[in-house]
Amino acid sequence: MTLAECLDGERFWSDLQEQAKIGALAPRGLRRLALDDNDNRARRWMIEQGRVLGCQAYHDAMGNIFLRREGREPSLAPLLIGSHLDSQPCAGSYDGTLGVVAGLAVLRTLQERGIEHARPVEVVAWTNEEGARFAPGASGSSWFAGQRDVTSIITACDDDGIRFSDALKRCLAMLEETESTTFRPEPYVPHAFLELHIEQGPVLESLGVPVCAVSDIQGVNWYEIEVSGQANHAGTTPEAARRDAFMGAHALIGALKEVVAQHDDQVRFTIGKFTVAPGSTNTIPQRASFTIDLRHPSQAVLDELDAAFHELAEHHWSGCSASLKVASRVAPVAFDPTLVELADSAVKQYCSSAPQLVSGAFHDAIHLARVCPTAMLFTPCRAGISHHPDEDIERAEAELAVRALVSTVENVLLNVQLTG
Amino acid sequence: MTLAECLDGERFWSDLQEQAKIGALAPRGLRRLALDDNDNRARRWMIEQGRVLGCQAYHDAMGNIFLRREGREPSLAPLLIGSHLDSQPCAGSYDGTLGVVAGLAVLRTLQERGIEHARPVEVVAWTNEEGARFAPGASGSSWFAGQRDVTSIITACDDDGIRFSDALKRCLAMLEETESTTFRPEPYVPHAFLELHIEQGPVLESLGVPVCAVSDIQGVNWYEIEVSGQANHAGTTPEAARRDAFMGAHALIGALKEVVAQHDDQVRFTIGKFTVAPGSTNTIPQRASFTIDLRHPSQAVLDELDAAFHELAEHHWSGCSASLKVASRVAPVAFDPTLVELADSAVKQYCSSAPQLVSGAFHDAIHLARVCPTAMLFTPCRAGISHHPDEDIERAEAELAVRALVSTVENVLLNVQLTG
């Protein structure tokens, strides 16, 4: 019987349902905004699971929670597994939490089989992955991986004007009072990081594949575009005298779409916000503002499109000027090839036809990948829906995905030399 | 010396500046929302001008104010001249008020020259033309002309939840306390109605013409369109799986623009509101909603475009369904040809090259035209700007426009038989 076959699927599934009660919404889904009471209760729940299992819990200065199964050689860098417990305001029960509960299932499996391993294994729940309460997200993982400094994180405010620093202080005070966790202020460099997550897209479901390895996270550029015209009376202003910012934006977007269409179908081009001002039925818009979310796995393609977008924004559109601002750029990440292969070969035991996917969404793994060998596993979610109470997974598929994770962990603990 | 030459241009201009102090904004423009304190002060100012001039003031159940210069035959239907005193929230000083002050200038000229006329002449300030506080506008004139009933008007609420009926009650109580005005509950059918207004468009300025007659008011259809898709993750949803409501709306608008472009350049096609939901940079829009303001002087053209718009809305656009709702339709109005010719011949004395314009905007005259011979005069406003503190007129041009109005009034009082 392999280690993966020893996974207690029943227990894994009941853990998953158990955590979903914390911040549950009726009739389904949950709300656990980063560092709110529910999110803190989820931390305590995790620490309690570790205590019962005999794993030491740690928390750090960012409120990240770690459960450690000690290795024979405690000085070795731990293999780290996990994801996050916070959610969007009106979310499903699996985004993030699946990865934490799956990590817990790995620890249970190792424990119950009495497996000894040289290197420690830790399961982590990162603070504020979603960025829904405090933007931007991935606070815990980006800080841990040295990608962002404390000040830039803790000065964020939520919509009620509460500072991240104050919410964090409350969380740390709560953890201070929790006897079974120990403060470990500093990050460390893990041996490797593994994250199981729902796909949040429709591909695996459409292929009928329960789990796959993830090779890359596509890069993302965010743009803010403003088209400036002249407000005027909709009835009295002849066509020739108009500088209609809406029509300017419409024409510019037509040109942007044409440029996008010249590239492969891996480009993701989304205009998610669009506003006009002054916004009156009988007034020609003075200004049209919109965002672009542009994604592709290849930095070269992103750079090409970026140059084309900038060029187009310099033209006049229906007599209006345009300005284009880059709001953020996140470069594509290619995960550690050796670790991806280990994960992929574990996956193939359960599904020989599993593809390797490029992640369309961000994950904590994107930051860990900058400091240690990192890989991800995806399991399908129904109709690709996430960030919504309707988010759903199939128990049988999720169990296979956790078995593939256990198998990957086993491969890593066999001391394979990783690329990173 | 003609009657028009007797106009006291100095006094007309100082009246115009005087009224502009009521609700004045710094550094220029004014705010006189319908039935607010400033609007009521403007009513009192008008009544006081009438009192000093020896004209009887009347007010009706809708708060419309009338100054009457009695005729030799008081039973004849009065010639009515006027416009409105209310404004947009952040408005210029001439939209509407020019027409009322010009009417006052006509009365002064008749009075100072001691002209006797058979038929009474009345100057009117209509209540709530703008519709900025209580939508829709033209309350006073549409009620007076029997186009709308009281209930549909007085049940409107402003943004603070104040009912039109309560604001009107306050206004009428104030008028009740004003000794020099008399309550005259019922509307009457005027002999004719004349309204001088700023053009609110750029045509006269571009032609260098100080005043012109207006032959028509173009018709207007308002539409509300909703495009429905499926919200989804911007990063994880492949092109083929998207039902992007923004992209659907973009494609539909492209098709609407093509249909519009097949017609003459008198079509006015404006998308003044456009919103997407949920409105997040990295979420594919579920819904895109927008308005269309469509105008043309010909009902046949409006009907053709209306049919084409409905047909296009039945298609799918980028996998999204669309729905199109007609929010309102106002048919084009052709003014009384004889009255327009009288106005035009008066205008031609001052500017032989003056065109006859079609009004792009609504005016109180649109309602009066349903019950009596009606015509308008336009005078330029700088850069076509209105509904903005920067709204401006040239004194010399405005004076010529009022002289043309005086001349038109003189023509009408000569008992020309009007078509209506």
Side-chain angles (χ1 to χ4, degrees):
Chain A
M1 201 158 158
T2 66
L3 188 62
E5 284 166 355
C6 297
L7 172 84
D8 182 348
E10 195 81 42
R11 179 63 195 263
F12 154 69
W13 191 252
S14 72
D15 279 354
L16 202 52
Q17 303 312 315
E18 200 58 34
Q19 66 77 29
K21 294 178 183 166
I22 305 170
L25 299 174
R28 62 185 162 276
L30 55 77
R31 176 184 173 91
R32 289 207 297 250
L33 292 174
L35 299 171
D36 75 1
D37 287 346
N38 288 323
D39 191 34
N40 287 337
R41 283 173 59 211
R43 281 184 176 77
R44 283 205 301 270
W45 176 85
M46 179 180 172
I47 292 165
E48 177 60 15
Q49 304 305 307
R51 191 191 61 76
V52 172
L53 198 59
C55 290
Q56 175 62 45
Y58 295 93
H59 60 278
D60 64 18
M62 204 48 67
N64 298 317
I65 304 294
F66 302 82
L67 301 183
R68 179 179 177 104
R69 184 161 200 269
E70 199 50 275
R72 279 195 316 272
E73 299 181 42
S75 64
L76 288 179
L79 166 61
L80 192 59
I81 311 163
S83 192
H84 61 95
L85 292 171
D86 68 311
S87 84
Q88 290 283 326
C90 189
S93 310
Y94 306 107
D95 178 348
T97 51
L98 172 68
V100 176
V101 173
L104 191 61
V106 170
L107 292 186
R108 287 197 201 288
T109 309
L110 293 169
Q111 187 74 0
E112 279 155 24
R113 282 289 295 265
I115 304 289
E116 286 201 5
H117 35 82
R119 124 174 9 263
V121 177
E122 294 197 357
V123 172
V124 63
W126 302 113
T127 293
N128 188 35
E129 193 273 344
E130 295 290 357
R133 180 178 177 194
F134 299 106
S139 306
S141 55
S142 62
W143 170 79
F144 185 87
Q147 304 298 302
R148 290 185 65 202
D149 62 51
V150 174
T151 313
S152 75
I153 294 171
I154 65 171
T155 47
C157 278
D158 69 10
D159 288 343
D160 298 325
I162 298 173
R163 276 184 174 260
F164 189 109
S165 55
D166 291 323
L168 180 59
K169 229 175 269 174
R170 277 190 63 218
C171 169
L172 294 177
M174 176 280 290
L175 292 170
E176 209 55 44
E177 287 172 16
T178 308
E179 280 190 5
S180 41
T181 175
T182 301
F183 185 57
R184 188 172 67 182
E186 290 303 314
Y188 62 83
V189 176
H191 175 62
F193 177 65
L194 289 170
E195 181 171 6
L196 168 63
H197 205 281
I198 55 171
E199 181 201 339
Q200 300 181 268
V203 179
L204 292 183
E205 186 181 57
S206 70
L207 296 173
V209 166
V211 57
C212 79
V214 180
S215 60
D216 302 77
I217 295 186
Q218 64 188 355
V220 184
N221 292 356
W222 278 12
Y223 300 94
E224 291 168 4
I225 294 93
E226 194 166 299
V227 177
S228 299
Q230 174 65 52
N232 235 321
H233 194 294
T236 59
T237 314
E239 189 56 33
R242 287 179 179 228
R243 290 174 50 224
D244 181 330
F246 177 84
M247 292 303 168
H250 187 270
L252 170 55
I253 290 167
L256 294 165
K257 282 171 72 176
E258 274 178 37
V259 169
V260 166
Q262 288 159 16
H263 287 78
D264 65 50
D265 67 358
Q266 290 190 285
V267 183
R268 307 275 173 267
F269 174 72
T270 306
I271 293 176
K273 291 186 182 181
F274 190 105
T275 58
V276 289
S280 165
T281 305
N282 57 353
T283 302
I284 296 167
Q286 167 106 17
R287 205 175 66 243
S289 310
F290 59 97
T291 57
I292 296 175
D293 176 302
L294 176 74
R295 308 197 187 203
H296 198 277
S298 150
Q299 187 63 54
V301 172
L302 287 174
D303 289 346
E304 257 177 68
L305 286 167
D306 185 82
F309 285 10
H310 276 92
E311 202 271 323
L312 286 172
E314 280 167 23
H315 297 213
H316 274 71
W317 300 93
S318 304
C320 304
S321 61
S323 75
L324 179 145
K325 209 180 86 183
V326 178
S328 76
R329 283 188 218 266
V330 180
V333 164
F335 289 138
D336 180 81
T338 308
L339 193 58
V340 171
E341 281 315 310
L342 282 183
D344 189 56
S345 65
V347 159
K348 291 285 185 356
Q349 297 168 28
Y350 301 96
C351 179
S352 59
S353 67
Q356 289 187 15
L357 283 195
V358 173
S359 173
F362 288 157
H363 297 287
D364 291 305
I366 206 169
H367 296 293
L368 274 295
R370 314 270 181 207
V371 290
C372 70
T374 294
M376 292 186 74
L377 297 175
F378 273 173
T379 191
C381 51
R382 194 172 299 162
I385 296 168
S386 67
H387 292 189
H388 191 282
D390 287 344
E391 179 186 287
D392 202 7
I393 62 177
E394 293 290 333
R395 173 175 167 175
E397 292 178 332
E399 254 188 59
L400 282 188
V402 182
R403 288 184 204 281
L405 177 65
V406 171
S407 183
T408 308
V409 167
E410 192 178 15
N411 291 344
V412 175
L413 291 178
L414 290 177
N415 273 323
V416 175
Q417 189 68 39
L418 298 176
T419 321
Chain B
M1 202 162 160
T2 67
L3 188 63
E5 283 166 356
C6 297
L7 172 85
D8 182 348
E10 195 80 41
R11 181 63 195 264
F12 154 70
W13 192 252
S14 72
D15 279 353
L16 202 52
Q17 303 312 314
E18 200 58 35
Q19 67 75 28
K21 293 179 183 164
I22 305 170
L25 300 172
R28 62 185 160 276
L30 55 79
R31 176 184 175 89
R32 289 207 297 250
L33 292 175
L35 300 171
D36 75 358
D37 287 347
N38 288 323
D39 191 35
N40 287 337
R41 284 171 60 209
R43 280 183 177 77
R44 284 204 301 271
W45 176 86
M46 180 179 170
I47 292 166
E48 177 59 16
Q49 304 305 307
R51 192 190 61 76
V52 172
L53 199 57
C55 291
Q56 175 61 45
Y58 296 93
H59 60 280
D60 64 19
M62 205 47 67
N64 298 317
I65 304 294
F66 302 81
L67 301 183
R68 179 179 176 104
R69 185 161 198 269
E70 199 51 273
R72 278 195 318 272
E73 301 180 41
S75 63
L76 287 179
L79 166 61
L80 192 58
I81 311 163
S83 192
H84 61 94
L85 292 171
D86 68 310
S87 83
Q88 290 282 326
C90 190
S93 310
Y94 307 106
D95 178 348
T97 51
L98 172 67
V100 176
V101 172
L104 191 61
V106 170
L107 291 186
R108 287 196 202 289
T109 309
L110 293 170
Q111 186 77 356
E112 280 157 24
R113 280 291 294 265
I115 304 288
E116 288 200 4
H117 35 82
R119 125 172 10 263
V121 177
E122 294 197 358
V123 172
V124 62
W126 302 112
T127 294
N128 188 35
E129 192 273 345
E130 295 290 358
R133 180 179 177 193
F134 298 107
S139 307
S141 55
S142 62
W143 170 79
F144 186 86
Q147 305 297 303
R148 291 185 65 201
D149 62 51
V150 173
T151 313
S152 75
I153 294 171
I154 65 172
T155 47
C157 278
D158 70 9
D159 288 344
D160 297 326
I162 298 174
R163 276 184 174 259
F164 189 109
S165 55
D166 291 324
L168 179 59
K169 228 175 272 175
R170 277 191 63 219
C171 169
L172 293 177
M174 177 279 289
L175 291 170
E176 210 55 43
E177 287 172 16
T178 307
E179 280 188 9
S180 40
T181 175
T182 301
F183 184 56
R184 188 171 66 183
E186 291 303 312
Y188 61 83
V189 177
H191 175 61
F193 178 64
L194 290 171
E195 181 172 6
L196 169 63
H197 205 281
I198 55 172
E199 180 201 339
Q200 300 181 268
V203 178
L204 292 183
E205 185 182 57
S206 70
L207 297 174
V209 166
V211 58
C212 78
V214 179
S215 59
D216 302 78
I217 295 186
Q218 64 189 355
V220 185
N221 292 355
W222 278 12
Y223 302 93
E224 291 167 5
I225 293 94
E226 194 166 300
V227 177
S228 298
Q230 175 64 53
N232 236 321
H233 194 296
T236 60
T237 314
E239 189 56 32
R242 288 179 179 228
R243 289 174 50 224
D244 182 329
F246 177 83
M247 292 303 170
H250 187 271
L252 170 55
I253 290 167
L256 293 166
K257 282 171 71 174
E258 273 177 37
V259 170
V260 166
Q262 288 159 17
H263 286 80
D264 65 48
D265 68 357
Q266 289 189 287
V267 185
R268 307 276 173 268
F269 175 73
T270 306
I271 293 176
K273 291 185 182 181
F274 191 105
T275 58
V276 289
S280 164
T281 306
N282 56 352
T283 303
I284 295 167
Q286 167 107 16
R287 204 175 66 243
S289 310
F290 59 97
T291 58
I292 296 175
D293 176 301
L294 175 74
R295 310 199 187 202
H296 198 277
S298 151
Q299 187 63 53
V301 172
L302 287 173
D303 289 346
E304 257 178 66
L305 286 166
D306 185 81
F309 285 10
H310 276 91
E311 203 271 323
L312 287 172
E314 280 167 22
H315 297 215
H316 273 72
W317 299 94
S318 306
C320 303
S321 61
S323 75
L324 178 144
K325 207 178 88 183
V326 178
S328 76
R329 285 188 217 267
V330 180
V333 163
F335 288 138
D336 181 81
T338 308
L339 194 57
V340 171
E341 281 314 310
L342 282 185
D344 190 57
S345 65
V347 159
K348 292 283 185 3
Q349 297 169 26
Y350 301 96
C351 178
S352 58
S353 68
Q356 289 187 14
L357 283 195
V358 173
S359 174
F362 288 157
H363 297 288
D364 291 305
I366 205 169
H367 295 292
L368 275 296
R370 314 271 182 206
V371 291
C372 70
T374 294
M376 292 187 72
L377 298 174
F378 274 173
T379 191
C381 53
R382 194 173 299 162
I385 295 168
S386 68
H387 291 188
H388 192 283
D390 287 345
E391 179 186 288
D392 202 8
I393 61 177
E394 293 290 334
R395 173 174 168 176
E397 292 178 332
E399 254 188 58
L400 282 188
V402 182
R403 288 185 204 279
L405 177 66
V406 171
S407 183
T408 307
V409 167
E410 192 178 14
N411 291 345
V412 175
L413 292 178
L414 290 176
N415 274 322
V416 175
Q417 189 66 38
L418 298 177
T419 320

